[in-house]
Amino acid sequence: MSVVEGPKAIATEPSHPQSVPSSYFAPNGSEAAPDSPTKAASGSRSSAELLRRLSLVVGDRPATPTLDPRDAYPALHLTGRIISATFCIPHSLGFRSGRDWDVRPRRGTSALFDSFTHLSEPGTAWDHTLVGWTGEIKPSEELPTLRRSPSKGSTNLKSSTSKVKSAPLNSLSAPVPLDGTSRSPTPQPHGDRIRLTGNDRERLEQQLRREKGGKIVPVWLMDRSEDHKDDVVLKDQGRWRRYAEHELYTLFHYKQHEPTDGRAECRWWADYCQMNQRFADKILGIYRPGDIVWVHDYHLLLLPSILRQRVPNIYLGFFLHIPFPSSEFLKCLSRRKEILTGVLGANMIGFQTFSYSRHFSSCCTRILGFDASSAGVDAYGAHIAVDVFPIGVDAVACANIAYGNHLIDEKIERIRAQYPGQKIIVGRDRLDTVRGVAQKLQAFEKFLERHPEWRGKVVLIQVTSPTSIEEEKEDEGHKMANKISNLVAKINGLYGGLEYTPVFHFPQYLSQEEYFALLRVADVGLITSVRDGMNTTSLEYVVCQRDNHGPLILSEFSGTAGSLTGAIHINPWDLIGVAEAIHKALIMPAEEKANQERISYRHATTNTVQLWQKTYLTRLLANLASFNQSFATPALDRTLLLNQYRQAEKRLFMFDYDGTLTPIVKDPQAAIPTDRVIRTIKTLARDKRNAVWIISGRDQAFLDEWMGHISELGLSAEHGSFIRHPETDEWENLTEKFDMGWQKEVMEIFQHYTDQTQGSFIERKRIALTWHYRRSDPEYGAFQARECKKHLENTVGKKWDVEVMSGKANLEVRPTFVNKGEIAKRLVAGYGAEKGEPPEFILCLGDDNTDEDMFRALRATNLPQSHVFSVTVGASSKQTLASWHLLEPADVIATVALLNGNVSGSNAEAIVAGL
């Protein structure tokens, strides 16, 4: 059928959205595209390649039958169970002592709750359990009365002239109420004490097991002192929200607070940490190996790392439903590192839009110093995938409600009768500053000012429901509510009269029938959020406009803007631009409206919440299968290492310095060895069977100053240009006969890029020249390094026998024959090649590209591989010639201490086990 009636109808999809299959496998496609995520992942060699291959699976192709994910990923040993963790359960709870609990639907995040319901349906491949906080528990009599369908003849909307206890609204902001039957909800304080017995809590848990929508396990949040008591007192229940909603929510939406003494924030942070710990306790109480844990949103940002610490091999996904800010804003958060490291405990992190994912990756680089790209972050020895999953709505349920209820049809007729001959613009938002309601009203005022011909012919119906965000509730003096009321009064006073009211403002919740009636009756939908995650109202509006084709005006700051390309995109801060967009929508030809609706309708009914959930889990499993086992460098087998060490009489140790014995720091001169490092290396070198060498890019002076006092230690400086044998103080120059005329030209090029790159500097060694950009902006520094390298290779590299090496935040030029691999060969050859002469144990450790020369040289030897342990320090996912990996310098020192025997028996067992 078509979207419009008449001769100019445009063909489109059927009016009724089609149900999305619950298969966790991609549709079949052309021969060139993989027909499942498993096949797509199997051919990838990097995180970026995996992301590209997975994208080939998505398309408008017939769906395959539902299959069990356990059959597709046998190596993962899946149980088929998913544990979803979200801040609150989908119910508001009223307590009645000794009686059943009052369980009512919770308002907000309906799309997320719909996805949980879908996961719990019998036809899916998963056994789903939802873990969430009970929310603030109130006495049953204090729960807001659920809005019922109004009596016949009433729209049941009450304008802002009603008495709303939550905020003293201006009585001039709207005309006389449409009826006297409805009552706006009165927010209740959450600080009242609620006393619960063990039987009360058990009764609720049993009730929740009987609720439709799947298994629910409630998290009880209370003081630690109440943990082992049968009777507990819940007090100040709102405290568990405060850090997330005062600090994180506001900053993630690009708002900052005035500075304080920090005492309150410290208390909120302690509660936030305790809450995440409580969630971890509850999840691990029901967790089984092979379960998938899916954590949702900003209240639980610490939960992934807490779970990872307790269960290192857990399968864990995280999804953020709100925006993620740029690094410049996140840096303003005092707990920025804890928040980032908390979420990096997940195997995959999902965002609503690419810009949010890009901001996250950038923050991991700029704040934590991890290597990151659009495909993911390499941190703590693992690759954490980062991907984009725009959430949708349950289009089938939405259409069934909107078009399958005769009460909604009656409401539409009554609303039209109330505004005869007038165009209806509909806005529906929460009373949050980020929703842009004030900007919407100001733009509508500008529209009436610039287009007087529309006065009396158009009305704006603005519904503003109470906020659920703790920080917004504590709006002192109700500034936001008063501002909106004053704007409504101003517009109605300037452009209204006895027979015409431009703006109708309803500060209240809507019943389901009222909500869908407004979406269907609207001639224009207006959303002007100044910062938003995924605005599901816009998607529901599109579904409800399949017959009316009312244009949607959508803020470019909404997460939905990138998906709904058929909408009219506006900048809510450009009032004149929004005013002209309203005018454009009102005069838009029917054919153009139908075409825009066709585009948006196709997206809303295809990219549903079911598809979002399916796509996320598919990508998570593909990433787990790929990076689980294919390309990861295994962790060093310390049992094998220790056994070979004990058997060997000739042992050779080769250590890099920066990033191996000491962590990488911004100032290279600050990378000094700790007492423990010096003691551990000295003990190792004291054993006559051990030949211990530090092979570094550092110059002679640095190595002499910090390691030269260990006489048994061999040193190699500037990547093998100089060598100092044990028990001597003399340095041997291996490059003294080499022409160093190339240095002048390299210095000129390095100086050029130093002048252009703030924070960079040149380190002049006796042989090599190094350009450092550790103190520079990470992204710009890396870009300049790539440009500088090309410049050097096309000039100096073609005239001289030198090579340009990329290191960790540095670029080094040195003679081609000078590298760590040559020193490694020299040291191994020094033992001799005859039978019984080569070393019986070699441990070689390094962390960057210059150390790959050592690993390459060791692979080229004829030594038994069981005698050679080449170990890279860093992520298991990075490409390397090493056979093993350790996570960080601390693990290196712990391993050497194990060989020295400087650990107790129990600690040795723990180290050997890789703990």
Side-chain angles (χ1 to χ4, degrees):
M1 59 184 294
S2 62
V3 171
V4 295
E5 299 177 359
K8 293 186 178 181
I10 297 176
T12 185
E13 289 73 17
S15 295
H16 299 285
Q18 302 301 305
S19 195
V20 176
S22 58
S23 170
Y24 286 83
F25 297 86
N28 290 323
S30 63
E31 293 182 1
D35 60 2
S36 78
T38 310
K39 292 182 179 179
S42 64
S44 59
R45 297 297 303 170
S46 67
S47 56
E49 176 67 7
L50 174 64
L51 195 63
R52 185 190 69 77
R53 285 178 169 270
L54 285 174
S55 68
L56 297 177
V57 184
V58 181
D60 300 322
R61 300 189 285 268
T64 58
T66 300
L67 296 175
D68 193 326
R70 289 172 288 190
D71 297 332
Y73 304 97
L76 296 180
H77 304 291
L78 298 171
T79 62
R81 303 196 327 155
I82 291 180
I83 302 172
S84 294
T86 188
F87 180 52
C88 288
I89 63 175
H91 306 290
S92 294
L93 302 177
F95 173 64
R96 294 177 290 193
S97 181
R99 300 169 59 189
D100 279 352
W101 289 69
D102 196 349
V103 179
R104 304 183 185 181
R106 184 181 298 277
R107 297 183 183 273
T109 60
S110 57
L112 178 60
F113 293 155
D114 286 343
S115 74
F116 295 152
T117 301
H118 177 71
L119 272 176
S120 302
E121 290 175 351
T124 65
W126 301 103
D127 178 9
H128 180 250
T129 301
L130 174 63
V131 175
W133 179 40
T134 59
E136 291 88 351
I137 297 172
K138 306 177 185 178
S140 288
E141 59 273 13
E142 293 184 10
L143 281 181
T145 303
L146 287 177
R147 297 182 54 77
R148 295 170 296 181
S149 298
S151 57
K152 191 171 182 178
S154 167
T155 63
N156 205 30
L157 289 177
K158 191 173 183 182
S159 67
S160 58
T161 52
S162 310
K163 295 181 179 179
V164 182
K165 295 181 181 179
S166 60
L169 301 178
N170 192 308
S171 60
L172 299 178
S173 62
V176 176
L178 299 175
D179 68 81
T181 63
S182 64
R183 180 171 62 88
S184 300
T186 302
Q188 298 291 333
H190 297 155
D192 295 342
R193 293 170 175 257
I194 298 287
R195 183 175 297 277
L196 302 175
T197 66
N199 289 335
D200 293 328
R201 285 179 282 166
E202 177 62 27
R203 190 182 308 111
L204 174 64
E205 292 174 6
Q206 291 179 357
Q207 274 186 253
L208 292 178
R209 294 189 194 107
R210 300 194 299 266
E211 286 289 320
K212 296 180 180 178
K215 290 174 285 187
I216 297 176
V217 176
V219 177
W220 300 95
L221 296 180
M222 62 194 78
D223 289 334
R224 286 289 184 191
S225 59
E226 305 276 347
D227 275 355
H228 304 292
K229 297 179 181 178
D230 186 55
D231 292 2
V232 299
V233 177
L234 304 182
K235 52 190 177 182
D236 190 18
Q237 299 177 65
R239 62 188 274 198
W240 309 109
R241 297 178 176 270
R242 288 193 185 119
Y243 186 82
E245 297 182 2
H246 278 259
E247 301 298 310
L248 298 179
Y249 180 88
T250 52
L251 189 115
F252 281 27
H253 286 83
Y254 291 82
K255 298 194 300 178
Q256 284 184 271
H257 295 295
E258 292 294 325
T260 66
D261 62 9
R263 295 179 183 177
E265 288 82 355
C266 286
R267 292 195 302 272
W268 300 342
W269 173 253
D271 290 336
Y272 186 76
C273 294
Q274 185 185 155
M275 177 186 71
N276 279 261
Q277 291 283 358
R278 296 274 188 169
F279 267 82
D281 295 341
K282 185 63 71 172
I283 290 170
L284 295 180
I286 60 175
Y287 170 81
R288 298 203 303 257
D291 288 354
I292 292 175
V293 178
W294 191 359
V295 181
H296 293 269
D297 227 5
Y298 63 101
H299 293 90
L300 302 176
L301 288 170
L302 303 182
L303 183 56
S305 66
I306 296 172
L307 292 172
R308 178 72 58 197
Q309 289 166 9
R310 298 194 193 179
V311 186
N313 296 321
I314 193 171
Y315 300 148
L316 205 158
F318 179 86
F319 189 84
L320 185 68
H321 293 261
I322 64 172
F324 195 90
S326 69
S327 60
E328 295 305 311
F329 255 82
L330 192 68
K331 285 178 180 178
C332 300
L333 187 68
S334 62
R335 303 287 183 174
R336 59 198 183 182
K337 290 187 177 180
E338 291 91 334
I339 292 298
L340 288 174
T341 55
V343 75
L344 284 173
N347 295 106
M348 186 173 80
I349 303 169
F351 296 91
Q352 300 276 16
T353 70
F354 175 73
S355 64
Y356 302 159
S357 70
R358 179 168 51 84
H359 289 163
F360 176 79
S361 297
S362 177
C363 287
C364 290
T365 298
R366 294 170 182 271
I367 296 174
L368 298 179
F370 293 140
D371 292 334
S373 68
S374 59
V377 180
D378 290 324
Y380 308 118
H383 175 81
I384 297 94
V386 175
D387 214 334
V388 179
F389 306 92
I391 200 170
V393 295
D394 189 341
V396 173
C398 179
N400 288 342
I401 295 170
Y403 290 95
N405 189 336
H406 71 279
L407 292 176
I408 294 177
D409 296 329
E410 295 174 4
K411 285 180 181 296
I412 291 173
E413 293 177 6
R414 290 198 295 272
I415 293 173
R416 279 292 181 194
Q418 286 181 297
Y419 310 104
Q422 294 177 328
K423 295 288 186 179
I424 298 176
I425 302 174
V426 168
R428 185 258 193 177
D429 307 272
R430 288 206 307 260
L431 191 62
D432 297 348
T433 53
V434 299
R435 303 299 171 182
V437 179
Q439 286 83 352
K440 182 186 303 185
L441 293 170
Q442 290 169 331
F444 187 66
E445 178 188 356
K446 188 66 67 177
F447 162 74
L448 293 176
E449 175 190 326
R450 294 172 62 88
H451 296 279
E453 69 274 15
W454 282 105
R455 297 173 191 172
K457 298 178 182 178
V458 63
V459 295
L460 170 63
I461 299 178
Q462 175 63 43
V463 179
T464 309
S465 58
T467 183
S468 61
I469 303 301
E470 186 80 9
E471 196 261 349
E472 300 279 1
K473 291 176 184 176
E474 298 179 5
D475 176 18
E476 293 183 10
H478 309 289
K479 293 178 183 177
M480 189 64 195
N482 285 336
K483 182 176 183 179
I484 292 172
S485 298
N486 290 334
L487 283 170
V488 172
K490 179 184 176 184
I491 297 170
N492 288 342
L494 283 174
Y495 303 109
L498 294 176
E499 297 181 352
Y500 171 60
T501 302
V503 181
F504 291 83
H505 177 216
F506 301 97
Q508 63 183 70
Y509 287 121
L510 294 180
S511 69
Q512 191 177 75
E513 292 85 358
E514 292 168 343
Y515 174 63
F516 283 106
L518 277 179
L519 295 187
R520 281 184 56 188
V521 79
D523 294 296
V524 176
L526 184 54
I527 296 174
T528 56
S529 46
V530 296
R531 190 67 58 179
D532 204 357
M534 192 57 58
N535 190 299
T536 54
T537 299
S538 59
L539 298 170
E540 291 165 340
Y541 175 82
V542 167
V543 173
C544 291
Q545 285 290 318
R546 72 180 193 199
D547 297 331
N548 198 33
H549 312 149
L552 172 65
I553 301 174
L554 181 61
S555 168
E556 64 189 35
F557 295 107
S558 169
T560 337
S563 303
L564 293 179
T565 56
I568 301 172
H569 293 172
I570 51 93
N571 176 0
W573 300 102
D574 178 9
L575 301 183
I576 294 177
V578 179
E580 293 307 311
I582 295 173
H583 179 66
K584 175 183 177 181
L586 291 172
I587 65 171
M588 185 178 292
E591 185 175 352
E592 185 178 350
K593 289 197 292 184
N595 187 53
Q596 287 193 359
E597 170 65 13
R598 177 182 62 82
I599 296 171
S600 298
Y601 186 84
R602 176 189 174 95
H603 172 82
T605 55
T606 303
N607 296 276
T608 61
V609 70
Q610 291 91 340
L611 181 64
W612 166 78
Q613 160 207 287
K614 181 189 107 173
T615 304
Y616 184 94
L617 292 172
T618 300
R619 292 282 179 91
L620 175 61
L621 291 172
N623 275 288
L624 287 170
S626 177
F627 291 104
N628 191 25
Q629 331 322 342
S630 314
F631 321 120
T633 304
L636 177 61
D637 187 333
R638 304 184 199 195
T639 302
L640 189 64
L641 179 80
L642 187 58
N643 289 339
Q644 184 60 33
Y645 177 82
R646 288 171 173 170
Q647 294 173 19
E649 291 297 322
K650 298 178 183 178
R651 307 162 181 158
L652 173 61
F653 292 83
M654 293 178 280
F655 296 97
D656 171 45
Y657 183 78
D658 290 284
T660 301
L661 294 178
T662 63
I664 296 291
V665 293
K666 292 207 171 205
D667 183 359
Q669 297 306 312
I672 59 177
T674 63
D675 288 341
R676 187 184 181 210
V677 169
I678 293 173
R679 287 197 308 269
T680 303
I681 294 297
K682 191 170 184 178
T683 302
L684 186 71
R686 191 180 298 135
D687 190 324
K688 298 300 183 182
R689 293 170 292 181
N690 297 342
V692 183
W693 285 80
I694 292 179
I695 305 173
S696 172
R698 295 284 187 162
D699 60 21
Q700 301 155 269
F702 183 93
L703 293 179
D704 267 335
E705 179 181 2
W706 295 106
M707 309 300 291
H709 63 283
I710 305 176
S711 59
E712 302 91 347
L713 186 64
L715 300 175
S716 175
E718 298 193 29
H719 301 291
S721 300
F722 299 90
I723 190 169
R724 196 197 83 170
H725 289 276
E727 307 294 347
T728 69
D729 295 326
E730 298 297 323
W731 285 88
E732 180 183 351
N733 185 352
L734 303 181
T735 63
E736 59 184 349
K737 296 181 180 180
F738 185 73
D739 186 354
M740 306 300 291
W742 54 271
Q743 287 191 337
K744 179 180 178 183
E745 191 173 349
V746 172
M747 277 296 293
E748 291 175 354
I749 295 173
F750 275 171
Q751 189 60 52
H752 170 74
Y753 284 91
T754 301
D755 295 339
Q756 290 189 339
T757 311
Q758 186 178 13
S760 65
F761 61 95
I762 302 170
E763 181 185 5
R764 183 161 193 164
K765 305 172 184 176
R766 288 186 60 182
I767 300 299
L769 293 175
T770 307
W771 182 67
H772 294 274
Y773 57 92
R774 292 181 190 176
R775 302 173 186 169
S776 306
D777 178 275
E779 294 175 2
Y780 184 65
F783 168 76
Q784 288 289 78
R786 290 192 296 269
E787 295 298 308
C788 183
K789 186 176 183 180
K790 290 179 190 175
H791 193 168
L792 289 165
E793 289 173 341
N794 291 329
T795 54
V796 181
K798 292 183 177 180
K799 292 190 289 185
W800 299 88
D801 188 17
V802 297
E803 64 178 338
V804 184
M805 292 292 295
S806 297
K808 284 195 173 179
N810 67 62
L811 208 59
E812 182 164 290
V813 183
R814 66 190 183 202
T816 303
F817 66 88
V818 173
N819 62 66
K820 294 182 179 182
E822 293 299 320
I823 295 297
K825 288 180 189 176
R826 183 179 180 128
L827 294 177
V828 172
Y831 281 85
E834 298 298 325
K835 185 176 181 181
E837 291 181 342
E840 301 160 311
F841 174 91
I842 297 178
L843 177 60
C844 178
L845 298 106
D847 72 306
D848 67 10
N849 290 335
T850 63
D851 301 307
E852 295 296 318
D853 292 328
M854 291 195 293
F855 304 149
R856 187 179 293 107
L858 290 175
R859 284 196 171 209
T861 65
N862 294 322
L863 298 172
Q865 289 303 303
S866 60
H867 293 183
V868 179
F869 295 84
S870 56
V871 184
T872 187
V873 180
S876 61
S877 57
K878 74 177 181 181
Q879 294 187 356
T880 179
L881 294 173
S883 301
W884 308 93
H885 95 280
L886 290 171
L887 289 184
E888 55 187 352
D891 295 326
V892 173
I893 301 306
T895 300
V896 175
L898 174 68
L899 300 182
N900 287 337
N902 290 341
V903 290
S904 65
S906 59
N907 286 338
E909 292 176 3
I911 292 174
V912 167
L915 297 177

